[in-house]
Amino acid sequence: MTITQLRQQLLAGETTSTAILQQLAGEIAARDPQTGAYLSHDLESAIAEAAHADLSLPLGGIPIAIKDNINVLGQPCTCGSKFLSENYTSPYDASVVKKLRAAGAIPFGRMNQDEFAMGSATENSALQITRNPHDPQRIPGGSSGGSAAAVADHTAIAALGSDTGGSIRQPASHCGVVGLKPSYGRVSRYGLVAFASSLDQIGPLTQSVDDAALILQAIAGYDPLDSTCLDVPVPDYLTNINDGVRGMKLGVPKEYFGTGIDPGVRKNVEAAIQKLAAQGAEIVEISLPHSEHAVATYYVIAPAEASSNLSRFDGIRYGRRAANPTDILDLYKKSREEGFGPEVKRRIILGTYVLSSGYYDAYYSRAQKVRTLIRRDFETAFQHVDAIVSPIAPTPARRIGAFANDPLHEYLSDIFTISANLAGIPGISVPCGTTDFDGGTHLPVGLQILGPHLGEAKLLQIAKAV
Ligand code: GLN
């Protein structure tokens, strides 16, 4: 059931928060050994919280699963990494977790992810494999793959993920659930383990658009602990959610429908756009001329920021500490050598390189300039359209292992999602049917809806119409 349905049952006295948790634990025991979405969960402490859940609050009594890079007091926070999996326990709640608790929700379960959120398949988790509930031979997407897979598998009611270049929207698309990346500054990242600080946002993965609105309502808003978090009022995201798309202008970027898109993805996305037209939206072709540079720009800026953010993992302050170092440099080196997986090392090396004095101008500072051009593309587009509609990913979920040792191929698959992070605008993925692909059948496809900065209410309204 959705949050909305469960809330009705809770308020009618037809179920209790404890009963919901016990049922979830049963579903997890039945299916998660195959799916592998959960890294850990603590039923006992969740049930203790459920006992005094305040049902009068908007998420009162509802368990919400949390990606394992968001701190929850007293729980593990592995980031899918061996660096943190053995001896790190969160000493505090992330601000989003505090806000969820203040809305009555119960954080329950820690979800698998690509190590430090670097990846698009959850295959870069150093801890376990997560499978797509629609086809266990396939990836759930990533990096919030555990969050998406659990919601699709009905082992979680809803979940939080993080999105630096598509990590909420793309796994939502691959698993057939709703995923919302809010605008940069809409939601506090205090307590989210930083990957690329100018791009990271936290958002919900849910079974319905209404549920995404409910969670965004709870987590959005000012937080003095994150200096990038905006002090602007949070609208009521449910007020206009059922108002439909009549009279709206929706832009279809011609650069997003070129070669390389799987025909089944194209067909489903185009059909969804036609349905929006049938409901009264005006569809216009637009251009985002710098789109072709988005992947290169992102894969300079994100690793640069990651190389700086991850320098805190030095073997002293957090997590893993190598045994028997000869001196302090040896301790840094050994701890990082042992603790980080290959993709994280690749990003740190790449990021350090583009920031180094000889290459800074050629790569990092140039990427920042192209980033401005990409942001301006969107600003120009939103002078003419209310929102932009597009695919989320070029193909449905691929097979596990299909891109092994081919990181470039993997990076290129982020083409439709990373521009929103570079521009700081919100994006939502909403299921728009299923297709056959590479021997798999009935694989979910997502429609992406992008809107102007802080335009989440309208995105939810369009997504609901879909
Ligand atoms: N796939 C992208 C990357 O690997 C985006 C990841 C994310 O959004 N956290 O960096």
Side-chain angles (χ1 to χ4, degrees):
M1 280 186 239
T2 64
I3 296 178
T4 316
Q5 290 165 334
L6 283 169
R7 285 282 302 152
Q8 277 165 4
Q9 289 210 350
L10 282 165
L11 289 173
E14 290 161 11
T15 189
T16 63
S17 184
T18 306
I20 294 170
L21 280 163
Q22 276 160 343
Q23 167 109 27
L24 272 184
E27 309 286 340
I28 294 167
R31 286 190 302 286
D32 203 58
Q34 146 119 332
T35 303
Y38 280 80
L39 288 172
S40 62
H41 59 78
D42 182 354
L43 184 62
E44 220 169 279
S45 67
I47 283 181
E49 284 182 55
H52 38 83
D54 182 349
L55 297 187
S56 70
L57 294 168
L59 297 175
I62 302 291
I64 308 244
I66 312 283
K67 186 174 181 179
D68 218 18
N69 58 355
I70 298 172
N71 281 279
V72 181
L73 175 68
Q75 292 190 8
C77 184
T78 68
C79 297
S81 179
K82 288 196 176 128
F83 220 114
L84 294 169
S85 61
E86 278 151 28
N87 56 1
Y88 180 77
T89 303
S90 295
Y92 67 105
D93 274 340
S95 293
V96 288
V97 171
K98 272 200 189 132
K99 284 180 185 241
L100 281 181
R101 290 193 204 276
I106 301 160
F108 174 64
R110 308 312 311 253
M111 314 317 292
N112 197 23
Q113 59 167 92
D114 287 302
E115 186 173 3
F116 289 102
M118 297 171 187
S120 314
T122 313
E123 280 174 308
N124 294 339
S125 169
L127 306 178
Q128 69 190 33
I129 286 185
T130 299
R131 297 176 184 278
N132 192 315
H134 295 270
D135 179 346
Q137 302 309 316
R138 289 172 192 273
I139 58 158
S143 66
S144 310
S147 297
V151 175
D153 211 17
H154 300 290
T155 54
I157 295 153
L160 288 187
S162 68
D163 190 313
T164 304
S167 279
I168 292 173
R169 291 161 286 156
Q170 185 259 25
S173 173
H174 282 357
C175 290
V177 302
V178 175
L180 170 67
K181 181 201 90 76
S183 309
Y184 193 73
R186 179 75 292 182
V187 175
S188 167
R189 293 95 47 86
Y190 180 72
L192 167 71
V193 178
F195 164 11
S197 306
S198 75
L199 303 160
D200 299 338
Q201 269 293 297
I202 297 171
L205 292 106
T206 57
Q207 301 174 68
S208 74
V209 176
D210 282 0
D211 283 6
L214 276 168
I215 293 186
L216 180 64
Q217 198 76 54
I219 62 174
Y222 181 59
D223 177 17
L225 297 173
D226 175 357
S227 62
T228 67
C229 193
L230 297 170
D231 191 2
V232 289
V234 179
D236 189 320
Y237 293 115
L238 285 161
T239 308
N240 298 318
I241 204 164
N242 295 315
D243 286 0
V245 291
R246 183 160 302 281
M248 279 196 204
K249 235 180 180 181
L250 303 179
V252 178
K254 60 174 189 238
E255 293 82 1
Y256 284 39
F257 288 82
T259 49
I261 299 192
D262 173 72
V265 169
R266 180 194 289 267
K267 197 166 140 252
N268 279 276
V269 167
E270 285 176 350
I273 294 171
Q274 281 319 310
K275 283 186 193 156
L276 288 168
Q279 292 180 45
E282 186 190 341
I283 311 296
V284 293
E285 189 183 89
I286 60 160
S287 175
L288 298 168
H290 297 93
S291 300
E292 62 171 311
H293 304 300
V295 172
T297 304
Y298 173 90
Y299 279 97
V300 170
I301 292 172
E305 294 182 12
S307 72
S308 168
N309 276 325
L310 269 60
S311 64
R312 76 193 62 195
F313 297 100
D314 55 6
I316 295 173
R317 285 173 294 179
Y318 305 100
R320 192 177 194 95
R321 177 175 298 191
N324 307 318
T326 52
D327 57 23
I328 190 148
L329 257 186
D330 192 46
L331 172 67
Y332 295 159
K333 283 186 192 167
K334 275 199 182 128
S335 302
R336 290 167 72 82
E337 166 65 33
E338 293 167 8
F340 291 138
E343 183 61 27
V344 177
K345 286 177 184 159
R346 184 177 295 126
R347 304 275 180 120
I348 291 172
I349 292 168
L350 188 57
T352 307
Y353 179 78
V354 300
L355 289 174
S356 62
S357 59
Y359 295 96
Y360 184 95
D361 287 338
Y363 294 110
Y364 184 72
S365 117
R366 201 163 185 201
Q368 293 290 18
K369 289 175 188 161
V370 181
R371 180 180 190 169
T372 302
L373 297 176
I374 290 169
R375 202 185 55 235
R376 285 193 196 142
D377 281 357
F378 284 103
E379 283 166 8
T380 307
F382 289 130
Q383 285 170 6
H384 307 288
V385 297
D386 294 286
I388 294 170
V389 284
S390 83
I392 287 279
T395 72
R398 61 169 173 80
R399 288 170 200 271
I400 291 169
F403 285 179
N405 304 318
D406 189 358
L408 184 59
H409 204 140
E410 186 93 331
Y411 297 172
L412 289 170
S413 72
D414 295 332
I415 176 85
F416 303 134
T417 48
I418 56 190
S419 293
N421 303 74
L422 290 168
I425 60 171
I428 191 166
S429 176
V430 61
C432 66
T434 61
T435 186
D436 297 349
F437 170 67
D438 186 25
T441 56
H442 306 295
L443 302 172
V445 175
L447 175 76
Q448 175 165 246
I449 311 163
L450 301 171
H453 192 242
L454 298 181
E456 284 84 357
K458 208 175 257 180
L459 290 194
L460 290 159
Q461 192 179 324
I462 302 166
K464 184 78 185 270
V466 175

